[in-house]
Amino acid sequence: MEQGSAKLGYEEIQDRPDGGRVWLRTSKLPLSDREGKVTGVIGTYEDITDRKVAEDRVQYLAYYDALTGLPNRALLQDRLAKALASARRRKDRVALLFLDLDRFKDINDSLGHSVGDLLLQEVAERLKKWSREQDTVARVGGDEFVIVLTAAKDGADAAVAAERLVHAMSAAIVVQGRTLSVGCSLGISIFPEHGADSETLIKNADAAMYCAKENGVTTLSSSRRHERSGCGAIDLGERFATGTRQERTLSRVPTANEYCHGKIIGLEALLRWQHPTLGLVPPISSYELPRTAV
């Protein structure tokens, strides 16, 4: 203004007497005398606070979950990509925990969506308190959450963290005076062992979580483990077919099923597949494969 130049259509923040702030769209023109000296200013002000609040809200919803305030899938992908890039430089590991609540649908259906929403908010707060400042906790679905643990030492370190998380989630949650018991199922994937990119790590942890849920509530499974379970049946079936064609050994362990006055009335034969890379595959994982892989 002192140099006589106009300022048109710029945005500024001004403090209000009540301690709040207001956004203004301002235009100012200098008033000059006959000698060209600026003697005053004439201006217009437009209150654009509502518009700025709406823009901030849109920006927030693009990266954060509206219900819980946690990062959403888009922000998770961004932070996970940065964590993987840092891990590559430092030769560190990154652990990804995929969490799904047990019994949430029953609670949501029986007590209503409002209780379900409050429960999700309480779960989000519990996850934030459990995690470290450098970790990322994101909500990626209805009752599904992903936790990114940076600078993980190894798979065992991630498993210990997962066990602590399962324990933390086993405590009852009080919502509107009701004491609700919800556990969780967890799947774990580790960079770089179980994937070199975000999509693969999330997919493997998700698959491992479903294996954990199939095995019972509040259980753990890693992406390496789910290759040995029914969740990896297709992959395991292909390995079994290849193994039998190459005449790999099947260990047979006969055991007595029951005795009656010293007389054997039944026998049970457990087949344990000795695989060169998977190790000893238990009967529960492979008993259907001889019929499906031939």
Side-chain angles (χ1 to χ4, degrees), residues 31-230:
L31 295 177
S32 305
D33 58 17
R34 294 180 178 180
E35 298 177 354
K37 183 179 179 180
V38 176
T39 58
V41 177
I42 185 171
T44 60
Y45 301 88
E46 178 188 0
D47 188 339
I48 58 171
T49 303
D50 290 343
R51 193 195 81 194
K52 297 296 289 187
V53 170
E55 289 176 353
D56 290 344
R57 181 63 176 170
V58 170
Q59 181 72 8
Y60 177 84
L61 292 177
Y63 296 103
Y64 290 90
D65 176 57
L67 178 64
T68 64
L70 294 176
N72 60 15
R73 187 178 290 270
L75 186 53
L76 168 67
Q77 293 276 5
D78 179 70
R79 290 189 179 178
L80 182 53
K82 292 178 180 177
L84 296 182
S86 177
R88 289 189 186 95
R89 292 192 302 268
R90 300 173 179 267
K91 300 189 183 302
D92 282 341
R93 285 179 171 82
V94 175
L96 192 144
L97 309 183
F98 201 113
L99 181 150
D100 180 87
L101 297 180
D102 298 321
R103 297 180 294 276
F104 175 76
K105 185 178 185 302
D106 295 336
I107 294 173
N108 204 41
D109 292 344
S110 60
L111 300 180
H113 293 290
S114 60
V115 174
D117 287 348
L118 291 174
L119 175 60
L120 290 173
Q121 290 173 344
E122 290 294 329
V123 168
E125 288 302 314
R126 184 170 293 187
L127 291 175
K128 285 191 289 187
K129 291 179 181 178
W130 174 87
S131 62
R132 303 169 301 176
E133 184 177 355
Q134 66 266 32
D135 300 331
T136 294
V137 179
R139 184 186 179 206
V140 295
D143 61 343
E144 294 180 337
F145 301 84
V146 169
I147 302 98
V148 179
L149 304 179
T150 57
K153 295 179 181 178
D154 49 33
D157 187 39
V160 170
E163 292 281 4
R164 288 193 294 104
L165 179 55
V166 168
H167 178 73
M169 292 302 301
S170 65
I173 297 176
V174 178
V175 177
Q176 291 185 340
R178 294 183 174 90
T179 301
L180 305 177
S181 178
V182 289
C184 67
S185 298
L186 271 177
I188 310 170
S189 63
I190 309 292
F191 168 85
E193 288 89 336
H194 303 142
D197 58 88
S198 301
E199 183 178 354
T200 303
L201 288 168
I202 293 174
K203 180 186 68 175
N204 284 339
D206 187 14
M209 180 275 296
Y210 275 103
C211 289
K213 190 168 285 288
E214 285 183 6
N215 292 332
V217 298
T218 318
T219 57
L220 296 175
S221 179
S222 72
S223 58
R224 184 63 56 89
R225 288 176 190 168
H226 79 70
E227 290 183 356
R228 301 184 178 212
S229 70

